[in-house]
Amino acid sequence: MRKNSVKNTRINGEVQRVLAEVIRGEIKDPRISPWTSVVAVEVAPDLKSCKVWISVLGDEEVGKSTLEGLKSAEGFIKNRLAKIVNLRNTPEIAFVLDQSIEYGVNMSKRIDEVIAQDDAVARNRGEESELTLEDSTAEAEAASKEGTRE
């Protein structure tokens, strides 16, 4: 079975759905944040291992405690996965804290800051060009008045 085969994609999706339900509704560990979501799942083609990316809303400390809680509940989660999803082998689960959402929010803030700075610079240039235009217009009017006097 290839890594990106249709069968592997279906298995990844089903395992992700089941893990999300188990983490959200069946684990009672207080270390696990209620704002935990399963972002992605990658089951190895031989079904021996599974990498689960989770995202936690909150600071870094909340993420670490949630990861510890999930690692301690790994046996329970694997047991529930085996009962719900009928696979030849139940994969060993490795949880990974996903930072992509936090990274995306950070990059979005930086982009907004750059756009705001660019707008400020453009406004300043516009004011300078208006002043320059007014000065040159005033100079031209003065020169024309002098030219008509002569």
Side-chain angles (χ1 to χ4, degrees):
M1 180 169 59
R2 292 186 334 265
K3 188 173 185 176
N4 293 330
S5 70
V6 173
K7 181 179 178 183
N8 197 288
T9 303
R10 276 196 340 252
I11 290 172
N12 289 343
E14 186 66 15
V15 169
Q16 179 177 354
R17 184 187 65 77
V18 170
L19 289 178
E21 288 175 3
V22 169
I23 291 171
R24 186 176 346 134
E26 297 183 27
I27 298 178
K28 304 297 184 209
D29 192 333
R31 292 177 290 181
I32 299 174
S33 170
W35 299 103
T36 302
S37 61
V38 178
V39 177
V41 172
E42 186 177 303
V43 180
D46 63 355
L47 305 177
K48 297 282 185 186
S49 63
C50 172
K51 203 179 244 189
V52 180
W53 284 271
I54 61 161
S55 177
V56 181
L57 187 63
D59 60 356
E60 191 174 320
E61 186 177 313
V62 173
K64 287 181 180 180
S65 68
T66 298
L67 205 56
E68 289 173 10
L70 288 172
K71 286 181 180 178
S72 70
E74 189 175 330
F76 173 78
I77 294 170
K78 185 176 176 182
N79 185 13
R80 294 296 298 147
L81 182 64
K83 287 182 179 176
I84 297 171
V85 180
N86 186 16
L87 294 173
R88 185 177 339 116
N89 299 315
T90 303
E92 292 294 321
I93 301 170
F95 292 101
V96 179
L97 195 57
D98 183 33
Q99 302 292 334
S100 64
I101 294 173
E102 183 178 327
Y103 178 78
V105 169
N106 187 23
M107 290 306 293
S108 180
K109 285 180 184 176
R110 288 184 178 184
I111 290 170
D112 291 343
E113 289 172 4
V114 168
I115 289 172
Q117 288 175 353
D118 191 39
D119 288 345
V121 168
R123 271 186 264 133
N124 287 340
R125 285 185 183 161
E127 290 172 3
E128 288 174 7
S129 66
E130 286 176 13
L131 291 175
T132 308
L133 182 62
E134 288 174 5
D135 292 342
S136 62
T137 306
E139 289 174 5
E141 288 176 1
S144 67
K145 287 181 183 177
E146 288 178 17
T148 56
R149 289 185 193 163
E150 291 176 10

